[in-house]
Amino acid sequence: LIGLMDCHACHTPKTMTEKGPAPDMSRMLSGYPADQPLPELVPSGNWVLFHPELTAAVGPWGITFAANLTPHESGLGNWSLDQFKYALQNGKHMGMENGRPILPPMPWEQYKIATDEDLEAMYAYLQSIPAVDNVVPAPVPPTEL
């Protein structure tokens, strides 16, 4: 399901090859690399730009960074299954009712129709992969750009 829903496209950092960016599976699903500098170019208007690794995007909502989905405490390590399901079914950061909305380009609206079995399988898989210590930057609101 993680592959089918293409979570690697945004949540796995890339390495550049002669064929273009390829997933760096040593950092599988660890999100935007914390050691990368923040984007310097910010478009105005209704433009959307992606980082070359596809782990960050900038648009009218500000700058967002792909989350660390590994079971490390800097990722999903402290999340319960209920939090995971709530996040994907309701678009709330960290699966908390009073959390901020999950920002673009995360297509959580597509995942809210997943069955409980699907979400449980996704959560179990994400808890079984290697943990990667990677504290992803907080989103940058458009007012700070």
Side-chain angles (χ1 to χ4, degrees):
L1 288 169
I2 296 297
L4 182 65
M5 293 180 171
D6 207 13
C7 300
H8 290 286
C10 295
H11 292 274
T12 298
K14 314 297 180 293
T15 56
M16 195 54 70
T17 71
E18 65 276 355
K19 295 180 181 179
D24 178 356
M25 298 311 278
S26 70
R27 300 183 292 166
M28 178 174 70
L29 298 169
S30 63
Y32 182 84
D35 61 353
Q36 293 256 340
L38 297 182
E40 293 180 25
L41 172 66
V42 179
S44 61
N46 290 322
W47 288 89
V48 176
L49 296 175
F50 284 86
H51 185 277
E53 289 189 2
L54 306 177
T55 55
V58 59
W61 63 86
I63 305 172
T64 48
F65 305 92
N68 181 348
L69 301 182
T70 75
H72 190 273
E73 64 184 27
S74 63
L76 299 181
N78 296 324
W79 286 44
S80 69
L81 172 60
D82 288 339
Q83 283 177 287
F84 181 76
K85 288 166 73 174
Y86 194 86
L88 291 179
Q89 292 172 333
N90 298 284
K92 290 293 188 170
H93 178 65
M94 298 191 72
M96 297 169 53
E97 187 175 341
N98 61 351
R100 68 163 170 78
I102 293 177
L103 299 169
M106 176 60 187
W108 70 268
E109 297 91 349
Q110 294 175 353
Y111 303 144
K112 72 179 178 182
I113 61 171
T115 66
D116 281 348
E117 284 180 334
D118 289 342
L119 294 173
E120 290 165 11
M122 291 170 65
Y123 177 81
Y125 173 76
L126 292 171
Q127 293 300 312
S128 75
I129 63 176
V132 178
D133 183 0
N134 183 49
V135 179
V136 173
V140 179
T143 55
E144 294 181 20
L145 300 178

